[in-house]
Amino acid sequence: MTPVELSRTVLHALRAAVDAGELRGVAVPDGRAVRVERPRPGGCGDYATNLALQIARAAERSPRQVAEVLSPRLAAEPGIAGVDITGPGFLNITLADSRAAAAAELVRRVREDGHCYGHVHPDTGELAQLHVDRELRAVVLADSVRRILRSQGVLVRVTCDAEPPATWADRLGVRVDACGRPPEPMPTLRPVPAPAAATLRLGRDAARWALLHPAPHDHPRVTPEQGGDGHLVQRESNPLFRVRYAHARARALSRNADGLGFDAAPGEVDAPELLDAVEAHPAVLDAAARHRAPDRLARHLVRTADALLDLQGSVLPRGDEKPSAAHRARLALAEAAGTVLAGGLSLLGISAPEYL
């Protein structure tokens, strides 16, 4: 849609509001009087118009109130994906073709980067040292923070008060670089402790999730009395199961599409929640690294998995339906979300099986 076409679209929305009696006392200007331009600082979208400010006095309303009347009518016009109101009453317009192009580009970027999507390359040169007490949850937390920091280009060294038991490394895959108190005082990661014996019996994936999904200041559920066995059940009530199941479903969709004779192709997809989750992944990794908070990543994976499971039913053709461009675009987005889930689980030290 060109600026001239958009100007006419804005005019059409205004005329509809006036005809419906939503804006009284307003004389509809000709198309040349409806100006659209690129958003100024503080704006958003592809174009913006100050029409609401121009007609507010005639409508005997504030510009913001006028904008709130025009916004839904303008958003319903063909070719417009969304309208946001900023400042005193500017209408910020996002075009549908622009959003489709952005969605396709996002999926292409994930497909190109693979499990390294959201990672920082090359290394930044920044150094970080993590120190922990000889306590299981603290060591697991440090191990995951190390992985996340490395994904952001940071070189990391983990130290511990004393040598952790070999079973912690064998069963949960943790490691430290040195033992003993550091020569200089430094901040220590001290999450709420978890009983080692009860945690280890859960196995690597469930144990790490049980320790990392809650915020460090929250109590983890690891004992049977606390409901720790819930991390092992394959039910929707178990967030870890949903994340791993969603990843497995993404892989299954690819296999099934191949059987139907079509493959993925990035394109326009009507799945805003999943697109938002995939797009937010790099920012989540950055925040998890800065705040030493793997729980932020874990919660983001749950959000991504739930959005993917909502989409999965529309990815493949049904019955005699032929594969279309929409199916190929949905498959590409599902595969991208599966890549995000697998990469995120890896940073938490948790496996992402293709069959579940």
Side-chain angles (χ1 to χ4, degrees):
M1 184 182 295
T2 67
V4 172
E5 292 171 333
L6 180 58
S7 177
R8 293 171 183 160
T9 300
V10 174
L11 181 64
H12 183 268
L14 172 60
R15 183 175 290 111
V18 170
D19 291 345
E22 296 174 352
L23 293 174
R24 301 181 183 276
V26 175
V28 179
D30 61 37
R32 289 173 297 175
V34 180
R35 182 180 179 183
V36 295
E37 58 185 1
R38 293 296 182 183
R40 297 177 182 179
C44 59
D46 298 302
Y47 291 95
T49 177
N50 65 350
L51 176 63
L53 284 75
Q54 293 180 19
I55 65 175
R57 177 173 295 181
E60 297 183 346
R61 298 191 186 186
S62 70
R64 186 87 184 184
Q65 290 173 328
V66 174
E68 289 171 351
V69 170
L70 293 175
S71 176
R73 287 195 173 275
L74 188 54
E77 293 285 338
I80 293 182
V83 178
D84 297 290
I85 302 172
T86 60
F90 291 100
L91 290 161
N92 293 255
I93 304 164
T94 300
L95 303 181
D97 52 357
S98 173
R99 181 166 294 180
E105 178 57 31
L106 171 65
V107 173
R108 290 191 192 96
R109 188 164 72 251
V110 177
R111 288 160 66 93
E112 181 179 335
D113 293 348
H115 290 178
C116 290
Y117 169 62
H119 292 203
V120 174
H121 298 293
D123 287 347
T124 63
E126 182 181 351
L127 303 176
Q129 180 162 343
L130 308 174
H131 187 78
V132 293
D133 299 327
R134 188 178 180 273
E135 188 276 319
L136 179 60
R137 190 185 184 194
V139 174
V140 171
L141 177 65
D143 182 76
S144 184
V145 172
R146 175 216 299 272
R147 296 166 187 254
I148 296 172
L149 283 168
R150 283 298 298 131
S151 79
Q152 301 304 292
V154 180
L155 299 175
V156 189
R157 185 171 186 263
V158 177
T159 57
C160 185
D161 280 348
E163 183 74 31
T167 53
W168 295 6
D170 294 340
R171 298 188 188 182
L172 300 187
V174 297
R175 69 181 179 87
V176 297
D177 298 312
C179 300
R181 295 298 302 177
E184 299 179 1
M186 66 173 53
T188 300
L189 297 178
R190 286 197 177 95
V192 174
T199 303
L200 291 172
R201 73 178 184 84
L202 295 175
R204 174 168 175 159
D205 291 335
R208 291 187 69 109
W209 182 268
L211 298 179
L212 296 173
H213 181 248
H217 58 267
D218 290 333
H219 289 270
R221 296 184 298 108
V222 294
T223 67
E225 296 76 18
Q226 296 170 328
D229 291 344
H231 299 298
L232 299 171
V233 300
Q234 297 193 9
R235 298 175 185 165
E236 290 186 1
S237 59
N238 178 7
L240 173 59
F241 170 72
R242 295 206 306 277
V243 172
R244 300 174 86 208
Y245 176 67
H247 169 263
R249 285 300 302 150
R251 298 295 175 254
L253 289 170
S254 298
R255 294 192 297 268
N256 293 339
D258 184 64
L260 294 173
F262 78 99
D263 55 11
E268 182 176 2
V269 184
D270 184 19
E273 291 188 9
L274 185 54
L275 284 168
D276 288 347
V278 172
E279 184 178 24
H281 187 64
V284 170
L285 293 183
D286 175 68
R290 285 187 291 105
H291 296 281
R292 314 297 196 250
D295 58 290
R296 295 187 180 214
L297 173 58
R299 290 193 297 273
H300 176 68
L301 295 182
V302 175
R303 173 195 172 195
T304 305
D306 289 344
L308 173 55
L309 293 174
D310 286 341
L311 175 73
Q312 63 164 337
S314 63
V315 172
L316 300 179
R318 296 184 179 182
D320 295 332
E321 188 180 10
K322 299 297 183 181
S324 65
H327 292 113
R328 293 183 175 87
R330 293 184 200 122
L331 177 61
L333 176 57
E335 290 178 346
T339 298
V340 166
L341 295 175
L345 286 171
S346 175
L347 294 177
L348 297 178
I350 298 173
S351 65
E354 293 198 7
Y355 298 88
L356 197 61

